[in-house]
Every structure is written in structure tokens, then in C-alpha cells.
Amino acid sequence: MQKRRVGVIGAGWVSAYHLPAWQKRSAQVEIVAIADPFGVAAQARAEAFGIPAIYGDAATMLAQEDLDIVDICAPRETHAELVRLAARAKVAIICQKPLATDFASAKALVADVIGTTLMVHENWRFRAWYRRLREWLDAGVIGDIRQASLEFLSSGMIAGPDGQRPALVRQPFFRTQQRLLVMEVLIHHLDTLRFLLGEMDVVAARLERSNADIVAEDVAAITLRRRSDGVLVHITGNLAVHGAPPAPRDHLRIFGASGTIELDGNQLAARGAQPQVEQFDADMVYQGSYDAAIGHFLDCLDSGKPFETAPADNMETLRLVEAIYALAQFDPEQEPR
């Protein structure tokens, strides 16, 4: 079978995880081109991953290359425009989350590209510990779910002795994002909780900003209610927690009638009627989630099966994000707390 030809749009930070995932599927695909307006970044990725063609913009790449697949891993502000561009070229598309910067824009985009082969690259739910957790839930390891609580805590927004905030050193674009913690980070957790627990609605939300070096929120308290039975799910996100590590990790507890499942970093444990513990290699799980998401995309292209993170599914995650911002009524002009 002839290999599918892949063009990548975006040579920034996240492309360093997309590109190895494509290479691991080299029996099915070949990366033939990369496009980015920052030529130095594109050149570096091309050299590192053996990509033969470099373009300064996506339109030129799509016009000059005979592509089967486009991988959009550019900044989220460009996603809607790039998806429309790729849809007109009639290629299969995998696009980094989110589809657009807000729910209304994403809804309009989905309507515009009906009939296009499109998957949202939402890789968090593909992390190995979450796939195992789902298996445990499906097997009834803790019985009926009563409650769930997720914490995502970091000290990354606390300035060190040098005056630098680690989160802003690692990802400088955080400084100017108009929607930060929920849209950029907790969107992953909302999607994963939907994958694990089912559809939910937002009951309450509060957002705050801890420092004047950013314009959007880095503190969040959110309560969700599961539609099927009213189970409450609490999310605490805070990037300015004294005593927490600069690099945050997930701490999820799901309380059931006959046990509790706890994910604490890279350890997944079930306690109660069916106790078990499993340790994971965090670095392998991180890259592995990109590998699994792209692998799922390719497997579905081959089999014709629906994408797990199809646009319709991702719209449900974006609906929660939009409801959180609407309920919280976060004011970027308010002084940091």
C-alpha cells in the first residue's frame, strides 16, 4: 500500500512531540513537508526529522505539495483559518485542540467543513494511565461512582529568586493569552473527565489571576454535574501554589460505592474491594499520548471507523469551557489577587 503523504503546519514547541509520533508510523506515512512563517524553526525541525520540503506558509505548501494528510500544530488562534484552508485542499486533517478560540467560532467552523475528514488532536485522554483507569471503571472495580475530584497544582507562576516565573519561561505565550488556564490546560482535563465519566454540565466556576505578568486566569475552581445521575465532579486548578512543584501533575480521585481509584502523578491505584496499583513511566506516557492519538487517527483512516475525538465530540468539551468562562465572568482588568 502506498504511504500517505503528510504535511505539518507549525514548527513550534508541540511539533517536537507530533513529529516522532508520525515517524513511528513510517510504514504507513511519510512526512514530506513542514510550513511555518518562522523559517529558523521550520529548518530546525526539517533537519532533525529529515523532512525534505520547507514552506513559509501553509497555503503555498498545500498548493505545491500532493498531500494526503495535514497535521495542524500551530497556535490555537490560527486553527479555524488553517482547517478551512486544508478542507478546501480536500486532505484529511488532524488539528491540535481546540478547533477555535471559542465555542461560537468552533461551531461555525464545523458547519463550514461538513464532509471533511477531521479529527481533533486531544491527546490527554490517550495517556496510558487514563486508558487503564477507564478499563478499571468499565470493569466495575469501584462500583457505582459517587463523586470525583481533580487537582492540577503548580508553583510555576511564582517568581523565583531571579524574578522569573518557571511557567512563563517554559511557555512564554502564556503572558498574552486572553484565556489561559481553562482554555489552554484544563480543557484537557475536561475532555478526559468526559471520556472517563460521561457528559456533564457546569454548575459553578470561579477564575482568578495571581500576577500581573499575565492577562488571563491561572487559578480555577469548577464544579460539574454528571447528566446521567447528578454525580458531582470538582476541579481545582492553580498555577501559583507555594510548595507545589513547578511542573504540575494530575491528581484525580474517583470515589465509588465499593472502592476508590486514585491517580497521583504516575501512580494509579484502586483501593477497596479490588485493590491494585500500577506505576507508569511519566516520560513514556507523555510522548505515548501523542503516539496514540496520531495512531488512532491513522487506524481510523484505514478502517473507516469514527474518530474518538471527532469535531462533534470536541464541541462538547468546548461547550464546558465556554460555560465556565460565562459563569465565572472573569475580568482581565481586575487586579491580581
Side-chain angles (χ1 to χ4, degrees), residues 126-133 135-136 249 262-269 277-286:
F126 285 96
R127 293 185 171 192
W129 45 62
Y130 281 126
R131 306 309 274 197
R132 179 75 76 245
L133 199 164
E135 291 174 3
W136 289 2
R249 62 186 199 175
E262 180 176 22
L263 172 68
D264 189 4
N266 65 335
Q267 177 177 285
L268 182 66
V277 177
E278 191 166 345
Q279 297 278 352
F280 296 82
D281 182 299
D283 291 335
M284 290 181 62
V285 168
Y286 191 82

Side-chain angles (χ1 to χ4, degrees), residues 198-253:
E199 299 302 343
M200 297 172 286
D201 294 302
V202 182
V203 176
R206 181 177 175 84
L207 305 177
E208 297 179 4
R209 178 173 56 138
S210 72
N211 68 82
D213 288 341
I214 53 177
V215 298
E217 84 287 352
D218 64 342
V219 179
I222 302 161
T223 300
L224 308 166
R225 179 186 290 121
R226 189 161 71 166
R227 289 181 189 172
S228 62
D229 55 11
V231 164
L232 294 180
V233 179
H234 303 285
I235 301 174
T236 300
N238 193 325
L239 303 184
V241 176
H242 291 272
R249 62 186 199 175
D250 296 355
H251 185 198
L252 172 64
R253 288 171 292 173

Side-chain angles (χ1 to χ4, degrees), residues 161-180:
D162 59 357
Q164 298 292 313
R165 304 183 192 277
L168 301 182
V169 172
R170 181 172 182 262
Q171 293 174 297
F173 71 93
F174 276 13
R175 293 178 180 273
T176 57
Q177 291 295 317
Q178 298 298 308
R179 290 181 166 187
L180 180 52

Side-chain angles (χ1 to χ4, degrees), residues 129 132-138 140-143 145 147-149 251-256 259-264 267-272 274 276:
W129 45 62
R132 179 75 76 245
L133 199 164
R134 174 65 184 267
E135 291 174 3
W136 289 2
L137 291 176
D138 289 346
V141 168
I142 60 170
I145 296 171
Q147 192 178 23
S149 173
H251 185 198
L252 172 64
R253 288 171 292 173
I254 302 177
F255 309 111
T260 296
I261 293 177
E262 180 176 22
L263 172 68
D264 189 4
Q267 177 177 285
L268 182 66
R271 299 178 179 89
Q274 301 182 54
Q276 48 196 306

